[in-house]
Amino acid sequence: MNAPMPNENSSSRLRLEQARRLLALAQTGLHYTTGVFDKERYEEIAAIAHAQIAEIASMRTDKVTELFAFEEGYANPKLDVRCAVFDEAGQILLVREAADGHWSLPGGWADVGLSPAENAAKEVREESGYTVEIVRLLAAWDTAKHPHPPSVFHIWKLVFLGEIVRAGEVIGVETDAVGFFSLDALPSLSLGRIMPQQIERLDELRRSGEIDFD
């Protein structure tokens, strides 16, 4: 989902951030410009940014262009909505991502037409089978400020606290296993989506009643 890339040094991360910013400026320029020549210039800038991202990510340029093909209008970060659900023993609900075989909190890109909280509840129901009541927001994080593997997208992550109402059947296709795990025995995590220290922080937040934000 997040199009993660291999671990990079600080220089590569800076180059990636600059390329994403360049691409955002080109996308916004294409949205507002009415001039033919300006449109050509912005398209050229976008192509340069695609090539830079492809080089850093060790991807083909056409694949990067394909990832951004539907990114139109004023450029904004993408919104990833997740839900942290704990059982009575303090274990956390995780789902295994079919895309990479690693585990994460239920969640994904926010859908148009639903509030962030409604998105979180929907993702839990589809990916784990559990219907939950959303209690409150736990965290609002900018993934660029956390040690996730670099992503071609700039992502903001909202994590809500959910309480189980009832169990049901998994109806989504993006996950292939569900389980509750002790925080000191977490499975292999999909690090582009969630990191062990973030799960520990979410447990602290649900106990303290606080909200964490970048």
Side-chain angles (χ1 to χ4, degrees):
M1 181 200 76
N2 294 349
M5 302 187 300
N7 289 333
E8 302 287 343
N9 57 34
S10 58
S11 174
S12 293
R13 286 179 179 271
L14 177 59
R15 288 169 56 214
L16 175 62
E17 182 179 341
Q18 291 171 337
R20 285 194 309 218
R21 180 60 180 156
L22 190 66
L23 184 56
L25 291 172
Q27 180 181 323
T28 301
L30 285 168
H31 176 66
Y32 285 110
T33 189
T34 57
V36 174
F37 294 113
D38 284 340
K39 183 176 183 293
E40 291 178 352
R41 294 186 184 98
Y42 285 126
E43 288 175 342
E44 182 178 356
I45 293 172
I48 292 171
H50 289 159
Q52 290 177 337
I53 292 172
E55 180 183 0
I56 298 167
S58 298
M59 297 172 63
R60 286 168 37 192
T61 301
D62 62 326
K63 292 297 183 182
V64 174
T65 301
E66 183 180 329
L67 281 173
F68 287 93
F70 298 104
E71 301 295 318
E72 298 179 345
Y74 188 89
N76 292 294
K78 295 183 76 66
L79 185 61
D80 178 26
V81 179
R82 302 270 158 187
C83 191
V85 180
F86 296 85
D87 65 11
E88 294 181 355
Q91 298 184 115
I92 192 164
L93 174 67
L94 298 177
V95 294
R96 190 169 63 192
E97 299 286 345
D100 63 13
H102 299 291
W103 296 76
S104 180
L105 300 179
W109 296 137
D111 290 332
V112 173
L114 297 177
S115 72
E118 290 169 340
N119 267 280
K122 179 184 75 71
E123 292 289 342
V124 176
R125 186 173 63 256
E126 290 180 351
E127 296 185 351
S128 74
Y130 289 102
T131 296
V132 299
E133 177 184 355
I134 299 301
V135 178
R136 63 184 181 88
L137 180 68
L138 291 178
W141 290 325
D142 181 343
T143 58
K145 297 184 181 297
H146 297 258
H148 292 279
S151 169
V152 299
F153 297 118
H154 184 187
I155 301 166
W156 290 354
K157 188 183 300 290
L158 299 182
V159 185
F160 291 87
L161 178 64
E163 291 185 353
I164 293 176
V165 176
R166 61 181 175 273
E169 297 294 327
V170 176
I171 58 176
V173 297
E174 296 181 351
T175 59
D176 57 17
V178 182
F180 281 91
F181 296 88
S182 171
L183 270 63
D184 58 6
L186 295 173
S188 176
L189 297 178
S190 182
L191 299 179
R193 296 173 172 85
I194 197 68
M195 306 193 71
Q197 59 267 43
Q198 290 174 326
I199 290 180
E200 293 176 3
R201 180 59 176 150
L202 293 169
D203 183 49
E204 294 173 356
L205 294 168
R206 63 115 178 178
R207 294 173 183 272
S208 67
E210 297 176 343
I211 298 174
D212 197 6
F213 60 89
D214 293 324

